[in-house]
Amino acid sequence: MLIIIAKKIINILKNHYKLVLLVLAGLIFQTECFAASSDESSSIRPNFIVILVDDLGYGDLGVYGNEIIHTPNIDKLAVEGMKFTNFYASAPMCSPSRAGLLTGRVPYRMGVYDWIAPNADMHLPDSELTVATLLRDAGYATALSGKWHLNGVFNTTEQPQPHDHGFDYWFGVQYSQPHLNPRDFYRNGKPVETPGYAADIVADDAIQWLSKTRDKNKPFFQFINFLEPHEPIMSPPSLVNKYNKHGIKAEYYANVENLDAAIGRIIKAVEDQELDDNTLIIFTSDNGPAEYTPSGYFNKSHGSSGPFKGYKRSMFEGGIRVPGIVRWNKHIKVEQISDQPISNVDILPTLLSLANVPIPINLKLDGSDISSVFKAKVIERITPLHWHFYDPWGGPQSLLRQGDLMIGASWNTGDFHVRKAIYHPREKAIIDNAKLIDFRLYDLSNDVHQDNDVAKLYPALFEQMKKKLIALHADVMLDSKTLGIQVPVKTR
């Protein structure tokens, strides 16, 4: 029987070989077309939007446990993507944290030691490569909207400006302003009148660039820097009235809600242009919340560090652990929560990896490509996360995190600076030559408030981490020594 069937098949092939060839050719053509289509699809580079807010605390959002402040848009962003519970700023202060985010490097490597006062010489050196520069040079359209705060002399040729660090388009202000009718904004070097609330002003500009100004033939990187909820805090009266029962905290709560509404408008603009499937959105804060003190700045900062000890300018968790959310439709599954430690120094290597842009071979990075976490995989770090800050108002001065363990150390310098100044040439020399002492180890898995030194419980790990921190600190300070002295001439 099998022989008879085989003979019939052979006869069919002989009599209809042309039809068979046509069918096979069609199959091959379809396969090649599918492959070409797949290659073309995979070659489309993603867009990136990084939204950075100012002095927002870990506990200020509903998705991070706040039961008072209404933040539906940021909460929705987290639900539609991934929320990080261990996301860090690279410093507990604004200017160094921003430097770390843009460069992928610990900010002390580049001489950005603290917040940059008006007319200070401190700035992000033009020798530093930013994520904006590297993406722009790889064909991306790049834009900055909002706070810059990476130089002391803004909108001049004396120090590098946003366009010197990779932004083809920029609409910015040097440092924090009162939120109602803020002053001193410039668009590509030209002064701009900015009536209204800062959150709306920044969002309007970001949406305008996104929808009309950008080159739509290019992928884009957009860096959106809100002024809120940094002092001086000013909020719409209708929102303040909503929170009146919370007394002196009402204006802060209203400020965060107004910020959330502005972010919601940006997200809607992305969706209206059908960009959301190919646009990775990253949301985070530059450092922890400012601590309320009756004799403080404008006395309206009432942010929450959640369960953590410390606030802005502290090297305890409350000063550096911040909200961190990513959304990328069809690439990151919804409703994910990751507890893997992430820092804003990871943004540069991650975006370059996703854009298939090579990292310059001589660029010394502290961050790592963390895109594997989007697929719920473990991040492989070459360099552990580490931090250094000369003047913390709480906590150690150098830190290193490994797994759930955080080791901290003080410097052998004592209180060497004048509180009213950031630092001066003598202080820079002290910073560059500081040595680490008084090491303490915290287990963040069961002691998020960092109340207990567990060095004696993990002696081998303690010694291992101690050696790593000493080596990294020495390496950072060696880079710092090569920089010229930068001296602030004004302070807040």
Side-chain angles (χ1 to χ4, degrees):
M1 179 62 72
L2 291 174
I3 294 173
I4 294 172
I5 293 172
K7 287 181 177 180
K8 287 183 177 181
I9 291 172
I10 291 169
N11 288 331
I12 291 171
L13 291 173
K14 286 180 178 179
N15 296 330
H16 302 283
Y17 71 93
K18 290 183 179 180
L19 177 62
V20 172
L21 290 174
L22 285 172
V23 171
L24 288 173
L27 289 172
I28 292 170
F29 177 77
Q30 289 182 3
T31 301
E32 289 179 346
C33 286
F34 177 78
S37 175
S38 297
D39 289 343
E40 183 179 352
S41 174
S42 64
S43 68
I44 297 175
R45 293 184 291 177
N47 307 308
F48 306 117
I49 297 177
V50 176
I51 300 174
L52 185 67
V53 296
D54 202 343
D55 289 6
L56 185 77
Y58 186 95
D60 283 338
L61 302 173
V63 73
Y64 282 92
N66 192 294
E67 297 180 353
I68 299 174
I69 307 175
H70 191 56
T71 55
N73 297 292
I74 300 172
D75 294 350
K76 183 173 180 282
L77 197 68
V79 171
E80 293 175 346
M82 176 178 285
K83 179 184 83 169
F84 291 94
T85 60
N86 284 276
F87 198 106
Y88 289 92
S90 51
M93 284 295 287
C94 43
S95 297
S97 177
R98 292 162 194 273
L101 186 157
L102 283 175
T103 65
R105 289 156 50 82
V106 168
Y108 272 40
R109 289 192 188 279
M110 61 201 81
V112 182
Y113 301 104
D114 206 332
W115 74 280
I116 300 177
N119 300 315
D121 184 55
M122 190 176 0
H123 60 269
L124 182 62
D126 54 10
S127 58
E128 290 294 322
L129 287 174
T130 70
V131 63
T133 296
L134 293 167
L135 288 174
R136 181 202 61 192
D137 291 351
Y140 271 69
T142 58
L144 165 80
S145 297
K147 183 176 176 179
W148 176 239
H149 212 177
L150 283 171
N151 59 21
V153 185
F154 193 54
N155 199 43
T156 73
T157 58
E158 294 179 40
Q159 295 176 358
Q161 306 299 322
H163 56 267
D164 297 309
H165 281 300
F167 293 100
D168 291 327
Y169 169 92
W170 61 274
F171 168 76
V173 65
Q174 182 181 15
Y175 53 93
S176 297
Q177 291 282 326
H179 297 159
L180 181 59
N181 303 327
R183 302 180 306 275
D184 300 327
F185 270 85
Y186 293 84
R187 180 177 285 114
N188 296 328
K190 297 181 180 180
V192 181
E193 294 295 323
T194 49
Y197 286 96
D200 298 318
I201 292 165
V202 171
D204 287 345
D205 180 79
I207 293 168
Q208 173 75 14
W209 183 84
L210 194 64
S211 59
K212 296 181 180 179
T213 308
R214 68 183 171 92
D215 183 346
K216 296 186 179 181
N217 293 314
K218 293 182 177 182
F220 64 83
F221 168 67
Q222 188 175 29
F223 191 30
I224 306 171
N225 294 267
F226 285 98
L227 280 64
E228 289 84 357
H230 190 292
E231 294 276 19
I233 291 169
M234 298 177 181
S235 307
S238 59
L239 288 180
V240 177
N241 291 337
K242 176 179 176 179
Y243 293 103
N244 265 345
K245 67 179 181 180
H246 298 287
I248 61 173
K249 299 180 180 181
E251 190 150 17
Y252 181 87
Y253 293 171
N255 201 258
V256 176
E257 180 171 341
N258 196 49
L259 169 66
D260 177 84
I263 291 171
R265 292 198 294 118
I266 294 171
I267 296 169
K268 184 177 184 300
V270 172
E271 295 169 348
D272 287 347
Q273 294 181 73
E274 299 182 348
L275 293 168
D276 42 324
D277 286 352
N278 196 42
T279 301
L280 171 65
I281 299 175
I282 301 175
F283 168 87
T284 189
S285 179
D286 63 346
N287 44 247
E291 185 175 10
Y292 172 76
T293 55
S295 60
Y297 198 11
F298 285 85
N299 309 325
K300 292 181 180 179
S301 292
H302 296 278
S304 169
S305 298
F308 307 116
K309 180 189 294 185
Y311 291 84
K312 174 182 179 177
R313 208 177 180 92
S314 169
M315 285 281 272
F316 286 120
E317 291 288 289
I320 55 176
R321 200 187 297 201
V322 293
I325 296 167
V326 297
R327 191 194 77 173
W328 190 9
N329 289 358
K330 297 185 178 180
H331 297 270
I332 297 176
K333 291 182 179 178
V334 301
E335 297 184 348
Q336 288 197 80
I337 298 175
S338 174
D339 61 0
Q340 293 194 59
I342 303 295
S343 169
N344 68 15
V345 294
D346 296 325
I347 289 176
L348 180 147
T350 302
L351 299 195
L352 293 186
S353 173
L354 294 173
N356 198 27
V357 175
I359 295 172
I361 194 168
N362 61 340
L363 183 58
K364 184 192 295 183
L365 293 179
D366 295 293
S368 298
D369 173 11
I370 57 96
S371 57
S372 60
V373 78
F374 300 158
K375 304 295 183 183
K377 296 180 180 179
V378 176
I379 300 166
E380 296 183 3
R381 289 192 180 276
I382 298 173
T383 304
L385 294 177
H386 59 112
W387 299 259
H388 312 275
F389 190 62
Y390 80 113
D391 182 25
W393 294 354
Q397 291 165 288
S398 289
L399 294 167
L400 179 146
R401 178 159 179 174
Q402 183 173 301
D404 289 323
L405 296 177
M406 180 77 86
I407 189 169
S410 298
W411 296 359
N412 67 342
T413 55
D415 190 6
F416 61 89
H417 59 280
V418 180
R419 291 277 177 177
K420 293 181 180 179
I422 300 170
Y423 69 95
H424 50 68
R426 181 184 64 83
E427 290 180 325
K428 173 172 168 52
I430 295 173
I431 290 171
D432 289 344
N433 292 285
K435 303 298 181 185
L436 302 187
I437 59 172
D438 191 20
F439 293 83
R440 301 184 185 188
L441 187 67
Y442 301 99
D443 183 356
L444 299 177
S445 65
N446 55 34
D447 180 24
V448 296
H449 203 255
Q450 295 170 280
D451 294 322
N452 304 301
D453 180 1
V454 296
K456 292 182 180 179
L457 297 179
Y458 305 99
L461 276 173
F462 174 70
E463 289 300 324
Q464 177 194 77
M465 293 176 69
K466 179 179 175 180
K467 289 179 181 178
K468 286 183 182 178
L469 182 56
I470 291 172
L472 283 167
H473 172 262
D475 186 57
V476 168
M477 296 310 168
L478 183 62
D479 285 348
S480 173
K481 286 181 182 180
T482 65
L483 297 168
I485 296 172
Q486 303 176 15
V487 187
V489 296
K490 283 188 179 180
T491 60
R492 185 165 63 191

